[in-house]
């Protein structure tokens, strides 16, 4: 037999598949020649990685031969073709040759449960197929050995990070070699280019500046944006107030390089994506800018009318990280810190990329730990990062330095002299009676720490102001209603809007929502959260009233959420320092207060500090490859909630929900992947995430789609006004 298949649907020979790898190898080498990789070894592993597929049991599986027995993952058989004698002659060390073997054997992280004798026998059996295999691209690398040199490889061996500098260097070589092989292999299998060139961003930024100049001939990049341009080749940490053009600054720092723009919330990511694709990168977006989070496909569906876009190919390019610019959540990128089986392609990609971190103050202690550790890896592997934030907890820079990360930080903070906020502290729990007299032809934003407190304030205001525009937004609305509410609050919160309304909210409005209310009434959480909340009031205008922010500090009690998800020590320190600074607050003063409350010294005894340092040390101490990807994703996202469809929602929309359910239950032969993705997206519109404790204490019906997927109908009350409630 001379025709050996790599896959059967569509049919592709090993040679054809490898040819596609080599094209992508050449593309990667051309676009990113300075990657710290041995290009000869990368080409070699591309050539050899799938040769083990010529074994008869694999060919039988594809319907191209007949045979019986236990199939061994093909990567473990492909090692028979490593020309180790040639590599020795070329001067490669024992460790470097081990890296080649490991990259090939483990290019798929498959379960391996064969005995050594079974593996050795299957390698001996390959000799017959090798005789009938012809592939000119192998050239001088065409070599087969019926006995693998155990000095270099045996099935149970692994390359670990180790504790010495030598071990760390070998681990780095392995991660880059295997990771880039993975990237090239995945792209070849998907029929896409491994990388698309960023040859447009600086031109797009120049066009953007020209547009500004057309409106104002004096327009130019501001001090922040110029600083970022001047330090394109360095790791940077900058503090800049809201409204200073941080998005443009980040893109100027990125320049014509591969880059990832990370934010903590999907709504913020969607907004940045819309802004970049509408105002900056206005052509060929599907080949230039991607959006990566758990609802990417549904967002792309909204753009499907774009004539130049093949949504499936665009989605594939995004998932494969092939696009020049990707806007994403932290969990899509930084889960590699757990070094789970198969993490290498992410870190290898980041080794020649630039990462922009925005809104760092929004991350919980565990996510902050993953971020700091991730940045230390990116720095070690050759990538670059930039942290841009309106307020910077001092502990972040201390921990970066402690973990050996070099960065530059400008001496000045990028702030304007404009004053936007004047604050009054109210020494009670938040109460609707205090708020009611202020509602007078204006727009009021009320922010509570917990959903239960927000619901209470909302119901009291709604009852008092019957017939008025009183609204509630929090995380326990089904996606469909939440999206509508987000659109409404954007509309009501537009600068210059004269609509009279009250919005009661939780911290879901804290970050990146471009809204501008007249008055803010808020529970105290901590200084960082408070200043983020202040950014939703007088967002881009100067103070022209005596007071526009009222902060309820609980008085003799603590505010809702304190001691559960709000650190008690940080709350108390924030309360004390804010009561010393009532009245006008400049942007510079806000930054100083955050630095004081979040300095390493001030945080010493806090739960926040303990959680952050524990997580950092715990993950650093993790043995590589101990966890699988599914477990890591659960841990990384700190998922303590369950997605459900409330019983009432299911009953009211039964026909539509059941139609999507029926589509998802069909096999891939009966229906296309795209139709399934659309059905899954539409079904998600009726879902809401509820806390674990609520789910465990309630009743539910689990409706199975297949062995991997199910939809949960949850017995609870629901209304589009207040969201989920237990009856």
């Amino acid at each position: 037999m001379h025709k050996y298949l790599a896959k059967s649907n569509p049919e592709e020979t090993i040679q054809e598949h490898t040819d596609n790898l080599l094209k992508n190898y050449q593309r990667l080498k051309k676009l990113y020649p300075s990657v710290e990789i041995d290009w000869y070894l990368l080409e070699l592993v591309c050539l050899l990685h799938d040769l083990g597929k010529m074994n008869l049991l694999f060919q039988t599986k594809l319907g191209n031969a007949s045979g019986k027995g236990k199939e061994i993952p093909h990567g473990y058989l492909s090692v028979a073709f490593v020309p180790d004698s040639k590599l020795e002659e070329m001067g490669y060390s024992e460790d470097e040759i081990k890296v080649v073997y490991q990259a090939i054997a483990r290019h798929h992280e498959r379960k391996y449960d064969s005995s050594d004798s079974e593996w050795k026998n299957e390698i001996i059996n390959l000799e017959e197929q090798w005789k009938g295999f012809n592939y000119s691209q192998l050239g001088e690398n065409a070599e087969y050995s019926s006995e693998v040199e155990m000095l270099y490889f045996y099935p149970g061996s692994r390359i670990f990070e180790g504790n010495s500098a030598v071990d760390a260097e070998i681990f780095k070589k392995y991660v880059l070699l295997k990771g880039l092989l993975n990237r090239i292999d995945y792209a070849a299998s998907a029929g896409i280019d491994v990388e698309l060139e960023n040859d447009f961003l600086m031109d797009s930024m120049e066009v953007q500046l020209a547009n500004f100049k057309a409106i104002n001939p004096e327009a130019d990049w501001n001090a922040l944006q110029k600083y970022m341009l001047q330090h394109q080749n360095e790791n940077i940490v900058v503090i800049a107030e809201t409204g200073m053009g941080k998005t443009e600054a980040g893109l100027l720092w990125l320049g014509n390089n591969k880059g990832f723009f990370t934010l903590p919330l999907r709504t913020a990511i969607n907004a940045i994506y819309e802004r970049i694709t509408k105002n900056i990168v206005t052509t060929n977006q599907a080949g230039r800018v991607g959006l990566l989070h758990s609802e990417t496909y549904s967002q792309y569906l909204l753009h499907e009318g774009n004539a130049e876009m093949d949504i499936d190919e665009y989605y594939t390019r995004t998932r494969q990280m092939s696009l020049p610019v990707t806007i994403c959540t932290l969990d899509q990128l930084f889960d590699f810190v757990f070094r789970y089986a198969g993490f290498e392609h992410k870190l290898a990609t980041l080794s020649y990329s630039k990462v922009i971190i925005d809104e760092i103050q929004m991350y919980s202690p565990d996510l902050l730990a993953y971020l700091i550790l991730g940045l230390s890896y990116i720095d070690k592997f050759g990538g670059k990062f930039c942290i841009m934030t309106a307020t910077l907890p001092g502990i972040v820079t201390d921990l970066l330095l402690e973990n050996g990360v070099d960065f530059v930080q400008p001496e000045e903070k990028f702030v304007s002299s404009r004053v936007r906020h004047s604050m009054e502290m109210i020494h009670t729990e938040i109460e609707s009676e205090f708020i009611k007299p202020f509602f007078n032809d204006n727009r009021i934003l009320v922010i509570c720490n917990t959903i239960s407190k927000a619901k209470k304030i909302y119901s009291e205001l709604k009852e008092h102001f019957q017939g008025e525009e009183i609204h509630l937004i929090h995380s326990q609305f089904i996606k469909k209603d939440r999206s509508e509410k987000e659109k409404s609050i954007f509309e009501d919160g537009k600068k210059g809007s004269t609509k009279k309304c009250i919005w009661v909210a939780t911290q879901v409005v804290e970050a990146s929502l471009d809204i501008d209310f007249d008055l803010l009434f808020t529970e105290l959480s901590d200084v960082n959260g408070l200043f983020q909340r202040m950014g939703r009031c007088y967002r881009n205008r100067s103070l022209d009233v005596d007071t526009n922010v009222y902060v309820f500090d609980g008085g003799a009690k603590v505010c809702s959420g304190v001691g559960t998800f709000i650190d008690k020590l940080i709350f108390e320190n924030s309360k004390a320092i804010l009561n010393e600074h009532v009245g006008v607050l400049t942007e510079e003063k806000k930054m100083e207060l955050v630095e004081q409350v979040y300095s390493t010294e001030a945080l010493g005894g806090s739960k926040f500090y303990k959680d952050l340092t524990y997580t950092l040390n715990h993950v650093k101490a993790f043995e590589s490859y101990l966890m699988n990807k599914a477990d890591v994703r659960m841990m990384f996202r700190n998922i303590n909630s369950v997605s459900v469809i409330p019983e009432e929602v299911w009953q009211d929309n039964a026909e539509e929900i059941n139609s999507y359910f029926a589509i998802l239950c069909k096999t891939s032969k009966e229906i296309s992947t795209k139709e399934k993705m659309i059905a899954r997206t539409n079904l998600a519109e009726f879902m809401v995430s509820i806390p674990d404790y609520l789910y465990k204490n309630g009743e539910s019906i689990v409706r199975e789609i297949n062995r991997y997927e199910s939809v949960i109908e949850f017995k609870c009350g629901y209304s589009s006004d207040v969201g989920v409630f237990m009856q």
Side-chain angles (χ1 to χ4, degrees):
M1 185 173 75
H2 297 281
K3 180 184 174 186
Y4 296 102
L5 297 181
K7 58 181 183 177
S8 57
N9 187 24
E11 194 174 277
E12 184 179 59
T13 65
I14 293 172
Q15 292 95 325
E16 287 167 339
H17 176 61
T18 308
D19 284 343
N20 289 329
L21 261 81
L22 293 176
K23 284 177 195 166
N24 270 315
Y25 161 81
Q26 292 295 346
R27 183 171 186 82
L28 183 69
K29 187 176 180 181
K30 180 187 169 194
L31 292 180
Y32 299 103
S34 59
V35 176
E36 294 178 40
I37 188 78
D38 185 311
W39 291 102
Y40 165 70
L41 293 184
L42 182 57
E43 184 177 25
L44 181 67
V45 296
C46 287
L47 282 165
L48 307 182
H49 80 293
D50 266 0
L51 297 187
K53 282 184 176 178
M54 69 176 80
N55 80 84
L56 286 181
L57 292 175
F58 184 87
Q59 294 300 312
T60 299
K61 183 170 72 177
L62 298 189
N64 193 38
S66 59
K68 287 184 179 177
K70 181 181 181 183
E71 188 192 339
I72 292 173
H74 65 267
Y76 289 85
L77 303 180
S78 297
V79 295
F81 304 95
V82 175
D84 47 29
S85 301
K86 181 185 174 186
L87 294 174
E88 288 168 4
E89 287 168 16
M90 292 174 72
Y92 286 102
S93 69
E94 180 185 316
D95 283 332
E96 287 169 325
I97 298 172
K98 283 180 180 177
V99 164
V100 173
Y101 274 94
Q102 288 288 342
I104 292 170
R106 298 183 181 277
H107 73 273
H108 293 300
E109 292 287 351
R110 299 267 160 79
K111 186 180 178 185
Y112 183 90
D113 57 3
S114 301
S115 67
D116 284 358
S117 59
E118 287 171 325
W119 170 65
K120 288 175 181 177
N121 286 337
E122 205 54 47
I123 282 184
I124 291 167
N125 292 340
L126 277 174
E127 187 167 9
E128 199 58 40
Q129 280 80 56
W130 175 244
K131 288 175 184 173
F133 185 80
N134 236 330
Y135 185 38
S136 60
Q137 295 277 23
L138 286 171
E140 293 179 0
N141 295 306
E143 191 174 303
Y144 160 77
S145 174
S146 60
E147 192 173 335
V148 173
E149 176 54 71
M150 299 297 272
L151 172 69
Y152 296 129
F153 180 81
Y154 60 91
S157 58
R158 270 273 193 199
I159 291 175
F160 292 97
E161 194 165 4
N163 296 316
S164 71
V166 174
D167 287 343
E169 188 57 31
I170 292 300
F171 182 73
K172 179 179 175 180
K173 286 181 177 180
Y174 169 66
V175 168
L176 290 173
L177 192 65
K178 179 184 181 287
L180 294 181
L181 169 61
N182 286 150
R183 285 289 316 287
I184 290 166
D185 190 18
Y186 299 158
S189 296
I192 61 169
D193 290 328
V194 65
E195 289 290 356
L196 294 166
E197 186 175 6
N198 184 350
D199 56 0
F200 59 86
L201 190 54
M202 287 310 291
D203 287 343
S204 297
M205 297 307 291
E206 287 303 315
V207 170
Q208 176 82 327
L209 182 58
N211 293 337
F212 293 152
K213 285 182 182 290
I215 299 165
N216 172 15
E218 301 297 311
D220 196 3
W221 299 125
N222 63 27
L224 166 68
Q225 292 156 348
K226 286 177 178 174
Y227 181 87
M228 301 295 268
L229 259 174
Q230 290 158 7
H231 293 82
Q232 276 188 330
N233 297 317
E234 295 172 279
N235 295 329
I236 303 182
V237 177
V238 292
I239 305 172
E241 83 172 87
T242 302
M244 292 290 283
K246 290 204 293 285
T247 301
E248 286 80 2
L251 295 175
L252 286 167
W253 174 78
L254 177 57
N256 284 359
N257 295 284
K258 184 175 181 69
F260 295 87
F261 201 124
T262 70
L263 293 115
L265 300 172
R266 282 197 303 267
T267 48
I269 290 167
N270 294 341
I272 293 283
Y273 173 76
E274 291 284 340
R275 186 172 161 200
I276 290 174
T277 53
K278 279 183 180 174
N279 302 331
I280 299 171
V281 183
T282 55
T283 57
N284 186 26
Q285 290 101 328
R288 293 178 168 180
V289 183
L291 180 73
L292 187 56
H293 54 55
S294 58
E295 295 173 8
T296 296
Y297 201 90
S298 60
Q299 282 299 308
Y300 282 178
L301 283 172
L302 300 176
H303 297 265
E304 199 176 14
N306 186 330
E308 66 185 23
M309 186 185 295
D310 176 330
I311 189 170
D312 287 328
E313 186 175 331
Y314 188 19
Y315 182 67
T316 301
R317 284 175 183 168
T318 305
R319 298 296 304 173
Q320 300 279 6
M321 303 196 297
S322 297
L323 293 165
V325 181
T326 304
I327 306 155
C328 61
T329 46
L330 199 69
D331 64 290
Q332 295 289 343
L333 208 56
F334 277 68
D335 60 355
F336 73 82
V337 296
F338 284 94
R339 285 106 61 217
Y340 56 83
F343 80 93
E344 297 88 355
H345 71 286
K346 288 190 179 180
L347 186 49
T349 303
L350 292 169
S351 76
Y352 58 92
S353 302
K354 299 173 83 173
V355 184
I356 300 164
I357 313 289
D358 199 0
E359 305 282 9
I360 196 171
Q361 75 289 333
M362 283 293 294
Y363 292 116
S364 57
D366 54 344
L367 291 178
L368 202 50
Y370 304 149
L371 178 64
I372 289 164
L373 188 54
L375 293 178
S376 75
Y377 273 112
I378 290 168
D379 185 45
K380 282 176 202 161
F381 274 67
K384 296 280 180 241
F385 70 84
C386 154
I387 294 174
M388 299 187 303
T389 185
T391 54
L392 179 69
I395 192 170
V396 172
T397 46
D398 286 352
L399 285 171
L400 284 171
L401 291 168
E402 205 176 290
N403 283 274
V405 183
D406 291 324
F407 56 89
V408 297
Q409 193 172 6
E411 287 183 17
E412 84 255 51
K413 297 180 178 75
F414 296 100
V415 290
S416 66
S417 55
R418 180 180 58 178
V419 175
R420 296 185 297 147
H421 301 114
S422 180
M423 173 186 72
E424 185 177 325
M425 299 295 290
I426 314 298
H427 307 306
T428 65
E429 295 180 82
I430 192 166
E431 49 186 33
S432 58
E433 287 305 314
F434 185 94
I435 299 165
K436 288 171 186 174
F438 290 88
F439 188 36
N440 180 26
D441 291 328
N442 54 7
R443 296 168 304 144
I444 288 177
L445 181 62
V446 182
I447 304 180
C448 302
N449 294 340
T450 60
I451 292 173
S452 58
K453 182 68 80 174
K455 284 180 179 177
K456 179 178 183 292
I457 298 293
Y458 165 75
S459 63
E460 290 169 0
L461 292 172
K462 183 82 172 170
E463 188 178 339
H464 184 80
F465 295 110
Q466 290 184 16
E468 298 285 2
E469 293 274 348
I470 316 294
H471 306 283
L472 176 66
I473 184 170
H474 53 68
S475 60
Q476 286 178 20
F477 286 99
I478 62 170
K479 186 166 180 277
K480 195 177 188 180
D481 292 339
R482 170 89 175 262
S483 299
E484 284 303 314
K485 285 176 179 290
E486 283 170 359
K487 282 180 198 165
S488 297
I489 196 170
F490 269 125
E491 203 56 42
D492 292 353
K494 273 185 181 172
K495 185 183 176 184
S497 169
T498 55
K499 184 176 179 181
K500 181 184 176 187
C501 61
I502 298 178
W503 276 87
V504 182
T506 57
Q507 65 267 36
V508 295
V509 299
E510 255 180 44
S512 299
L513 283 188
D514 193 2
I515 52 178
D516 181 29
F517 280 77
D518 301 319
L519 289 174
L520 171 68
F521 297 85
T522 178
E523 281 191 283
L524 176 61
S525 54
D526 68 293
V527 288
N528 220 339
L530 173 63
F531 297 152
Q532 289 303 307
R533 293 175 185 188
M534 283 187 181
R536 311 314 123 197
C537 168
Y538 274 61
R539 183 166 176 79
N540 287 307
R541 48 181 162 148
S542 297
L543 185 69
D544 55 6
V545 292
D546 290 338
T547 304
N548 58 358
V549 176
Y550 296 87
V551 181
F552 296 81
D553 67 10
K557 300 180 181 179
V558 293
C559 296
S560 68
V562 175
T564 50
F565 62 89
I566 297 168
D567 187 287
K568 192 165 185 181
L569 178 65
I570 294 175
F571 171 82
E572 293 296 349
N573 288 349
S574 298
K575 181 175 175 177
I577 206 166
L578 287 167
N579 275 297
E580 293 171 11
H581 293 88
V582 293
V584 169
L585 274 177
T586 65
E587 298 306 306
E588 196 156 5
K589 177 55 70 178
K590 290 177 193 172
M591 293 173 183
E592 284 173 19
L593 297 185
V594 169
E595 284 174 16
Q596 286 177 47
V597 172
Y598 277 88
S599 70
T600 304
E601 295 75 22
L603 287 174
S606 69
K607 185 176 183 299
F608 179 96
Y609 181 79
K610 287 172 188 168
D611 288 350
L612 172 55
T613 51
Y614 170 79
T615 305
L616 196 55
N617 293 327
H618 180 61
V619 179
K620 276 163 85 171
F622 249 67
E623 189 174 325
S624 300
Y625 312 110
L626 193 65
M627 299 183 72
N628 64 46
K629 189 173 181 180
D631 291 338
V632 165
R633 292 197 73 71
M634 290 292 284
M635 185 179 285
F636 193 96
R637 292 179 178 180
N638 195 10
I639 296 172
N640 53 6
S641 61
V642 182
S643 286
V644 302
I645 298 178
E647 180 184 47
E648 285 185 35
V649 173
W650 196 303
Q651 289 169 356
D652 293 345
N653 302 275
E655 191 177 337
E656 189 178 349
I657 288 172
N658 290 332
S659 71
Y660 301 139
F661 198 84
I663 290 169
L664 291 172
C665 287
K666 291 183 178 179
T667 65
S668 54
K669 290 179 182 175
E670 296 173 293
I671 202 154
S672 71
T673 302
K674 183 175 181 180
E675 287 173 291
K676 280 199 167 193
M677 290 294 280
I678 291 170
R680 192 173 281 113
T681 297
N682 290 334
L683 187 61
E685 291 291 305
F686 299 101
M687 292 182 181
V688 59
S689 285
I690 60 167
D692 261 343
Y693 72 86
L694 207 61
Y695 177 69
K696 285 170 182 169
N697 291 333
E699 294 177 40
S700 58
I701 302 169
V702 179
R703 302 179 186 275
E704 198 170 281
I705 295 171
N706 52 49
R707 59 187 178 141
Y708 305 109
E709 271 183 294
S710 58
V711 178
I712 299 168
E713 181 182 343
F714 186 64
K715 192 165 185 177
C716 63
Y718 182 84
S719 80
S720 57
D721 287 339
V722 300
V724 169
F725 58 90
M726 301 309 290
Q727 294 168 314

